[in-house]
Amino acid sequence: MLTTPPFAPSTLQALHRLGIRSREELRRTGAVKTFLLLKASGRTPTRSVLWQLAAACFGCDVMQLSDTDKTALLAAVKNHPPVALPPPAEEAARFMQLALHQAEAAAAAGEVPVGAVVVRNGEVLSTAHNRCVADCDIGSHAELRALAEAGRQTGSYRLDGCDVYITLEPCAMCASALIQARVARVVYGAAEPKSGAAGSVVDLFSDGRLNKHTAVFGGILAEDCQAVLQHFFRQRRSSKPEKENP
């Protein structure tokens, strides 16, 4: 278990609220990400907290960290992908259910069933689903349509502080738009192993060459999101006429 010392009681309590109570849990999260999670939770941890976290991960005393170690840790903090606290489980499930309703509407219209919802401070700004077939437009992905409507609602294309719930991991086109919109969190359901740009194929959200504003959380109601897709493609395959044998 993590103890006082080396951690101050307030830091230890903050770590417990993050679900980090043992050295093993700290190692799984990593010292740098834990440090950034403390900042995301509203605390202002000093560099000494970072040294303490790293020493606990390494299983050594803080005094054993060299200047090189500390420089590397600071660089890792600077280059780390965006970090945010995850949405509360009940809230995430509720908004993902709204996105699922949109995905089901897309399926009923013959579109690939993907739905998206934009939320700010618990308020739904927009909902959308794929309309690529109906609009004859590859840009009519659920995410892009939801972002456009949220922009109209707020009067700005920059959606700072917004969360976007999507039933399927976004592709590179949509990931780029989400990054440009500067949304705070992307929460998706099912992974997309063929074209996912949030880690399955590439991870644009953590690419240091791009503006980094958006934290990503995947796997929310993943089985339900995957089931909608599987049912749609199963039906589409079964509806195709069988080819005659030559």
Side-chain angles (χ1 to χ4, degrees):
M1 297 293 290
L2 301 177
T3 60
T4 299
F7 298 104
S10 59
T11 300
L12 201 61
Q13 291 173 4
L15 290 170
H16 288 178
R17 285 194 292 270
L18 294 172
I20 300 173
R21 295 175 176 271
S22 68
R23 181 175 293 175
E24 183 57 37
E25 289 168 336
L26 176 58
R27 283 173 174 163
R28 281 200 297 267
T29 306
V32 170
K33 185 175 181 179
T34 300
F35 178 77
L36 291 171
L37 283 170
L38 287 172
K39 293 184 69 174
S41 68
R43 294 183 60 82
T44 53
T46 62
R47 290 182 177 184
S48 63
V49 173
L50 179 59
W51 312 152
Q52 291 164 1
L53 292 168
C57 282
F58 297 153
C60 68
D61 187 89
V62 171
M63 298 300 293
Q64 293 178 273
L65 294 177
S66 67
D67 289 342
T68 300
D69 292 330
K70 293 177 179 180
T71 299
L73 286 165
L74 292 174
V77 168
K78 181 179 179 180
N79 295 322
H80 198 280
V83 169
L85 298 180
E90 290 186 4
E91 178 182 296
R94 177 159 56 92
F95 290 129
M96 190 60 78
Q97 283 288 358
L98 292 179
L100 273 166
H101 293 329
Q102 288 294 313
E104 290 162 356
E111 303 276 356
V112 174
V114 179
V117 176
V118 180
V119 178
R120 177 182 278 167
N121 297 327
E123 176 187 358
V124 174
L125 296 181
S126 64
T127 61
H129 58 71
N130 276 4
R131 276 186 56 94
C132 296
V133 176
D135 294 347
C136 301
D137 181 3
I138 191 59
S140 287
H141 279 203
E143 301 94 313
L144 300 185
R145 296 184 63 238
L147 290 175
E149 178 57 28
R152 286 188 285 270
Q153 292 294 328
T154 60
S156 174
Y157 74 89
R158 286 193 173 182
L159 299 174
D160 306 74
C162 288
D163 297 333
V164 182
Y165 289 81
I166 316 160
T167 56
L168 184 66
E169 181 183 356
C171 66
M173 175 177 68
C174 293
S176 296
L178 291 160
I179 292 168
Q180 292 296 322
R182 302 194 177 193
V183 301
R185 296 182 295 198
V186 165
V187 184
Y188 70 85
E192 172 48 278
K194 294 183 179 179
S195 60
S200 288
V201 177
V202 296
D203 189 354
L204 294 184
F205 296 97
S206 66
D207 192 323
R209 296 169 295 181
L210 305 175
N211 286 332
K212 297 185 295 184
H213 301 283
T214 306
V216 179
F217 302 89
I220 309 301
L221 300 188
E223 292 183 1
D224 294 339
C225 295
Q226 188 66 43
V228 173
L229 289 159
Q230 290 173 339
H231 179 70
F232 173 79
F233 287 110
R234 192 181 303 118
Q235 280 196 323
R236 192 160 78 169
R237 286 192 298 269
S238 64
S239 67
K240 288 183 178 180
E242 293 184 7
K243 294 181 180 181
E244 295 183 2
N245 292 326

